[in-house]
Amino acid sequence: MADDDVTLSGEIKGKLIDSKQKWAEEGRLLTGKTAAPSERLPPGQRLVETWPVLDLGIQPEIPTHAWRLFIDGEVETPVALKWDEFKKLPQARLTTDIHCVTAWSRYDNRWEGVSARDLIALVKPKAEARHVIFHSYDTYKTNVPLADFAGDDVMLAWSWNDTPISREHGGPLRVVIPRLYFWKSAKWIKRIEFSIMDKPGFWEVRGYHNYGDPWREQRYDDEI
Ligand SMILES: Nc1nc2c(c(=O)[nH]1)N[C@H]1C(S)=C(S)[C@@H](COP(=O)(O)O)O[C@H]1N2
Ligand SMILES: [Mo]
């Protein structure tokens, strides 16, 4: 595999990261409300029509020949999938909403890709595995409980609204976890690690909530 062929263009947005970290310290945007999961728009969110781009500023360009998806850790059968191997897995379609912690939500995004359940069946997590850690080509990391990764609406998506996901939105492949804030949906996914222990990721160590349920407005870590 040719990691050298992956181009990391852009610059880390230090100021944006600092200000988002400050939001967490100040509890910005918090309404203090909770909503039933049956309510479509979570508390404090506003609907947008466009699809904003949010990341650390480095947007990797990953040519198909250099792309790999490693699924490993506490599993019976670790894999390192090439692009054509991934595309040969059963493909699924799903329409879901996006809820970003910066308070925008976007309804009815049509995704195509592989369901997390099919990937879980492929690698067979060991009984001790409880957490899933996503590692991305831009060095971003984020964590979710295995039970949430195993949700029936969780996908590894390569297509959005019938077009391949663009580089800025995490193409060739990104995670989509509709029931959590969108920072849990890693763009440019490189490695899915099954783990006994939890490993808080980039935003989780910078004041963001470890779980991130939009309906309970879990934007930030309560300890801060
Ligand atoms: N690899 C990676 N994934 C990431 C991020 C990132 O910086 N790097 N940002 C997260 C955040 S904070 C959000 S809100 C969404 C934004 O996805 P979008 O740019 O497609 O809207 O991606 C998430 N996944
Ligand atoms: Mo975000």
Side-chain angles (χ1 to χ4, degrees):
M1 118 116 169
D3 244 354
D4 296 353
D5 293 343
V6 176
T7 316
L8 298 174
S9 52
E11 258 176 68
I12 289 281
K13 296 175 185 158
K15 278 188 191 149
L16 176 128
I17 293 166
D18 289 349
S19 74
K20 279 185 82 174
Q21 192 162 355
K22 218 176 192 166
W23 284 23
E25 285 159 19
E26 294 167 356
R28 269 279 291 274
L29 304 171
L30 284 175
T31 66
K33 292 181 193 145
T34 59
S38 57
E39 244 172 75
R40 193 169 184 185
L41 192 67
Q45 297 294 107
R46 67 190 157 75
L47 267 185
V48 299
E49 298 286 330
T50 54
W51 187 11
V53 172
L54 280 102
D55 50 58
L56 307 179
I58 304 282
Q59 299 184 333
E61 173 96 57
I62 313 148
T64 305
H65 74 268
W67 186 90
R68 292 291 183 281
L69 176 63
F70 302 91
I71 314 180
D72 57 19
E74 294 297 313
V75 298
E76 301 291 347
T77 320
V79 295
L81 298 170
K82 294 181 184 168
W83 184 250
D84 56 332
E85 295 171 325
F86 180 83
K87 290 295 290 287
K88 278 182 198 148
L89 297 173
Q91 301 291 311
R93 286 168 183 273
L94 201 65
T95 300
T96 68
D97 300 342
I98 295 173
H99 307 293
C100 174
V101 73
T102 59
W104 59 268
S105 291
R106 192 182 186 288
Y107 287 167
D108 293 325
N109 301 276
R110 289 194 309 281
W111 307 104
E112 184 170 355
V114 173
S115 81
R117 287 188 172 182
D118 283 336
L119 288 180
I120 290 169
L122 184 72
V123 298
K124 299 182 211 65
K126 294 182 183 170
E128 308 85 75
R130 289 284 179 281
H131 302 274
V132 176
I133 320 301
F134 302 117
H135 303 253
S136 295
Y137 279 92
D138 63 339
T139 76
Y140 185 81
K141 290 185 189 59
T142 188
N143 58 317
V144 294
L146 172 52
D148 291 82
F149 184 59
D152 61 6
D153 54 358
V154 176
M155 287 185 67
L156 281 291
W158 58 268
S159 171
W160 173 84
N161 288 4
D162 307 313
T163 41
I165 295 177
S166 64
R167 181 170 57 90
E168 60 180 6
H169 285 297
L173 192 74
R174 75 172 299 157
V175 179
V176 178
I177 306 183
R179 281 179 277 187
L180 298 177
Y181 281 122
F182 209 37
W183 88 77
K184 296 288 185 180
S185 293
K187 311 204 280 192
W188 310 293
I189 186 71
K190 179 180 187 178
R191 177 176 174 219
I192 302 172
E193 177 194 2
F194 289 76
S195 174
I196 298 173
M197 295 205 342
D198 196 8
K199 299 180 188 177
F202 186 89
W203 289 117
E204 292 82 6
V205 301
R206 287 173 175 77
Y208 283 75
H209 200 279
N210 197 52
Y211 184 63
D213 179 346
W215 287 270
R216 287 186 278 165
E217 222 188 14
Q218 293 175 337
R219 298 180 195 275
Y220 313 115
D221 179 357
D222 301 334
E223 306 305 309
I224 284 187

